[in-house]
Amino acid sequence: MDTEYIRSHIRTIPDFPETGIQFKDITPLLLDAKANELTLSALHTAFHTLSVDKVVGLESRGFLFGPSLAASFQAGFVPARKKGKLPHKTIQKEYGLEYGKDILEMHTDAINPGDNVIIHDDLLATGGTAKAATELVLELGGQVVGYSFIIELSFLLGKNQLLKDIPIRSIIQY
Ligand code: AMP
């Protein structure tokens, strides 16, 4: 099955980048042409009935499939980046990490009022990053129509941080 093929190309690295974290490494998936193709296809299929104007990809692994996913919807791609990386006028949102805080930024001209937006990342963990991205999109007048992940760590309950009644799709769950 396609999902099992994708799953078999994700490896778990214990204690990376710090003790206690089971890091889900998608580089074997990226190495394999068939796994790449199946992943993009599954990400697209999850939302194929929607009209999408923008895909917002979260730094940094949301930049791997984000632009191709956007192209599959004939939509634009918007990078949501860590503080200080985007050169033009930005809005920003602080969000909590396991230890400490970080800041996510988006260009103010990246979303037009009324845009239908999918938020995409490789992995949903606690949901803090996707929540910050949601707030940025809403502040710019866009509407979030879907959340798209390759992997969801279900036991961390990240879904609870995201907008209610908006579809949240992941290909693989742990
Ligand atoms: P969160 O804001 O907690 O949902 O974290 C999501 C971000 O952290 C994503 O950009 C992931 O790439 C990264 N991340 C968190 N936990 C892991 C993990 N166990 N393996 C790989 N990436 C992770």
Side-chain angles (χ1 to χ4, degrees):
M1 212 183 124
D2 292 353
T3 308
E4 286 316 306
Y5 191 85
I6 295 167
R7 186 187 289 271
S8 71
H9 286 78
I10 296 167
R11 68 184 162 197
T12 302
I13 311 286
D15 299 323
F16 181 88
E18 46 195 75
T19 309
I21 304 288
Q22 302 284 319
F23 190 85
K24 300 299 179 195
D25 177 21
I26 60 166
T27 61
L29 186 160
L30 297 170
L31 262 182
D32 186 276
K34 182 179 167 190
N36 257 309
E37 193 184 325
L38 291 175
T39 299
L40 181 59
S41 170
L43 292 173
H44 176 82
T45 302
F47 293 107
H48 73 282
T49 57
L50 296 185
S51 163
V52 180
D53 299 301
K54 305 279 164 59
V55 172
V56 170
L58 310 186
E59 183 167 352
S60 59
R61 286 181 294 276
F63 300 170
L64 296 170
F65 285 95
S68 303
L69 182 61
S72 79
F73 289 110
Q74 297 187 301
F77 175 74
V78 177
R81 300 211 59 182
K82 305 280 171 62
K83 184 177 165 59
K85 305 283 188 184
L86 289 170
H88 198 55
K89 191 168 178 241
T90 59
I91 55 167
Q92 49 178 246
K93 198 62 68 179
E94 194 176 80
Y95 63 103
L97 294 172
E98 228 171 329
Y99 305 109
K101 290 182 189 301
D102 213 337
I103 286 176
L104 197 68
E105 294 186 338
M106 218 179 271
H107 275 149
T108 53
D109 61 2
I111 305 284
N112 296 319
D115 272 354
N116 284 346
V117 177
I118 285 180
I119 291 177
H120 165 76
D121 203 355
D122 67 327
L123 184 144
L124 175 66
T126 66
T129 317
K131 181 183 182 207
T134 300
E135 289 167 357
L136 292 175
V137 169
L138 296 180
E139 203 169 313
L140 291 173
Q143 42 195 15
V144 178
V145 294
Y147 292 99
S148 156
F149 304 96
I150 302 170
I151 301 163
E152 180 187 347
L153 302 183
S154 312
F155 57 93
L156 292 176
L157 306 176
K159 278 182 171 173
N160 294 348
Q161 298 292 325
L162 307 182
L163 291 177
K164 307 298 169 220
D165 305 323
I166 303 298
I168 303 167
R169 301 283 180 260
S170 55
I171 307 171
I172 309 285
Q173 299 79 34
Y174 292 92

